Amino acid sequence: MKKLAFIVIILSATFQVHAQYRESQNMLEQLIWDDEKLNIYIDTRIDFQNIIENGRLENISFVGQTVRLWLFGEVVPGIRYRIRHRINKLSETSLRDNYSDATDHAFLSFDIGPRWTITAGKQPVQIGTFENDYNGADVYLGTMVFNDFAGSATGVNIAYKFAKQIMNVQVTNSDEKEFANTDYRNKALAINVLWIGDLFNEVIRTRWGYGTFQHTKTKFYNWGTLGTQLNTGKIVTEFDYYTGIRNMDYGYMVNDDELGVRYVQDQSISLSVEYSSPKWRPFIKGIWDKRYDKNMHSTAYRSLGIQAVAEYYPFTNPRTKDLRFHLAYAYKNTDFRGHFGELGNVGTHYIIAGTRWFFKAK
């Protein structure tokens, strides 16, 4: 009798393991073959760049601007995931969140009813503006804040949807050098609030945000952002404004390798006008930046820039419709002030020609 019971237990355990294995295999097969559950995209941009500074040719080269791998899908209704990894960036593992610096996103999103969504993992920092929401491959001349701001962090975001509006409250690690004190990096957190607005049936859209980033136990660095988009037919106008304080070593800007970390207040403005058609996307953009060094009690520099871009999408096939060719010209003038006034004005011209393809590999 004992032998029979033992045989029954062994067979039962075997069938359970086999059933779990088959269930696992079925899920794996669904992930491989079902596009809703697993999408694999390759995001790449290659440019030929010319940079001329104060009349001198500083750089002429082919550049791999972007090589990213995207994996995303909806495993079951209401549960989604996204992983985005930069292949052309050296991977360094962060000691605090265990994600590589080359991994921009690695998160799960859970819908709780029709109005609430919780997102957990490494995700975009919800600081607002439309410029900050663009894929980096779609930005040619970015503002100072867009170029310098840490765009991803690990944490939790809660989104609430109502009347075509979305309110986001996000709590993340705040261990970037621009915010956290070196001795407090393993304990610092950040809180961001972002309103994604839709007014008058998308005639006006908003990305207004406020964030506070912990520096020490009692000191916080605050940031405000205003992003407003106006849609009038085929013309889209976007105005973005950033302002906030942080720690930055901007020695590369003022040719001073010994400058070290400075306590600064940064401001940036971006204004762009775009015309959309089936195959052409021409647009112009202007930027303004100001860096005030709070240690020196003076403005370090101001910058004005303008760009003109033409993007051409020649294909209509679903697999190649996002393949584009682009030509861009940009000019940026930096006026050094205060302690760095002897550097004067620096004018930089950028000429960029290239191609970008965001295509579905699976």
Side-chain angles (χ1 to χ4, degrees):
M1 191 70 181
K2 291 182 178 180
K3 290 183 179 180
L4 179 61
F6 179 74
I7 292 172
V8 169
I9 292 171
I10 293 296
L11 289 174
S12 176
T14 302
F15 285 135
Q16 288 180 17
V17 169
H18 182 70
Q20 291 173 359
Y21 172 77
R22 289 301 306 161
E23 184 178 347
S24 176
Q25 284 294 99
N26 289 338
M27 177 59 74
L28 179 61
E29 289 177 4
Q30 289 181 46
L31 284 173
I32 292 173
W33 298 110
D34 190 338
D35 281 352
E36 290 186 3
K37 291 182 171 58
L38 175 62
N39 293 273
I40 302 174
Y41 277 75
I42 304 296
D43 184 1
T44 181
R45 173 180 152 190
I46 302 168
D47 290 341
F48 180 66
Q49 294 186 353
N50 292 266
I51 301 176
I52 301 170
E53 187 174 286
N54 282 355
R56 300 185 307 272
L57 181 64
E58 291 291 327
N59 185 288
I60 181 168
S61 60
F62 292 94
V63 179
Q65 284 290 106
T66 300
V67 184
R68 290 191 180 104
L69 177 67
W70 295 63
L71 290 84
F72 59 90
E74 187 171 37
V75 179
V76 297
I79 300 180
R80 299 175 302 281
Y81 68 93
R82 183 201 294 174
I83 298 172
R84 191 178 84 181
H85 186 81
R86 283 176 284 174
I87 300 173
N88 62 334
K89 177 178 172 61
L90 180 64
S91 297
E92 297 178 7
T93 301
S94 172
L95 295 177
R96 189 178 184 193
D97 64 12
N98 285 329
Y99 288 115
S100 164
D101 288 348
T103 301
D104 297 322
H105 303 155
F107 62 76
L108 293 169
S109 291
F110 305 88
D111 292 335
I112 303 175
R115 296 187 180 275
W116 296 90
T117 299
I118 297 177
T119 300
K122 193 168 186 181
Q123 57 193 277
V125 176
Q126 302 279 28
I127 68 163
T129 77
F130 284 90
E131 180 191 54
N132 187 65
D133 195 45
Y134 278 110
N135 187 315
D138 295 323
V139 177
Y140 304 90
L141 180 67
T143 62
M144 172 176 62
V145 177
F146 174 84
N147 291 331
D148 291 344
F149 204 94
S152 300
T154 302
V156 176
N157 183 77
I158 299 175
Y160 176 68
K161 308 175 186 68
F162 65 99
K164 295 185 178 181
Q165 319 301 312
I166 304 175
M167 291 298 302
N168 292 274
V169 178
Q170 181 186 59
V171 180
T172 67
N173 292 339
S174 179
D175 43 10
E176 293 292 337
K177 294 179 181 178
E178 61 185 306
F179 298 126
N181 182 279
T182 303
D183 297 332
Y184 206 77
R185 288 179 66 187
N186 291 333
K187 295 177 281 187
L189 296 174
I191 299 175
N192 293 283
V193 179
L194 175 66
W195 170 40
I196 301 176
D198 176 353
L199 306 174
F200 313 112
N201 292 321
E202 295 190 355
V203 173
I204 297 176
R205 299 174 62 211
T206 67
R207 291 186 60 86
W208 294 7
Y210 173 80
T212 182
F213 299 82
Q214 195 169 17
H215 179 64
T216 62
K217 182 178 180 180
T218 57
K219 187 175 183 179
F220 295 81
Y221 290 170
N222 300 315
W223 278 79
T225 54
L226 295 173
T228 305
Q229 183 186 85
L230 176 65
N231 296 277
T232 53
K234 294 183 177 181
I235 297 176
V236 178
T237 304
E238 293 176 352
F239 175 83
D240 294 322
Y241 174 68
Y242 310 77
T243 183
I245 55 176
R246 53 182 172 169
N247 294 323
M248 294 296 293
D249 182 350
Y250 57 91
Y252 70 98
M253 283 290 300
V254 295
N255 301 322
D256 184 357
D257 294 335
E258 304 299 324
L259 182 68
V261 175
R262 312 293 299 176
Y263 183 43
V264 302
Q265 179 171 4
D266 285 344
Q267 295 183 74
S268 288
I269 292 174
S270 170
L271 176 64
S272 67
V273 180
E274 169 195 328
Y275 176 82
S276 294
S277 69
K279 291 194 174 184
W280 288 94
R281 180 180 173 248
F283 61 96
I284 58 174
K285 177 180 178 180
I287 64 170
W288 174 86
D289 299 314
K290 177 184 176 182
R291 172 158 286 164
Y292 181 84
D293 192 313
K294 296 174 78 69
N295 296 124
M296 296 178 178
H297 304 289
S298 65
T299 298
Y301 52 85
R302 293 178 181 173
S303 297
L304 280 172
I306 189 167
Q307 73 169 15
V309 178
E311 295 180 346
Y312 177 52
Y313 297 81
F315 304 109
T316 57
N317 185 290
R319 288 194 172 273
T320 56
K321 65 182 180 64
D322 292 318
L323 172 61
R324 75 159 186 252
F325 300 94
H326 51 260
L327 179 64
Y329 167 76
Y331 174 75
K332 186 175 182 180
N333 179 270
T334 303
D335 178 19
F336 292 93
R337 301 289 187 91
H339 185 76
F340 309 106
E342 71 277 3
L343 297 175
N345 282 272
V346 175
T348 307
H349 300 264
Y350 304 87
I351 301 172
I352 301 171
T355 181
R356 191 246 177 153
W357 194 4
F358 183 57
F359 67 94
K360 184 176 176 63
K362 185 270 167 190

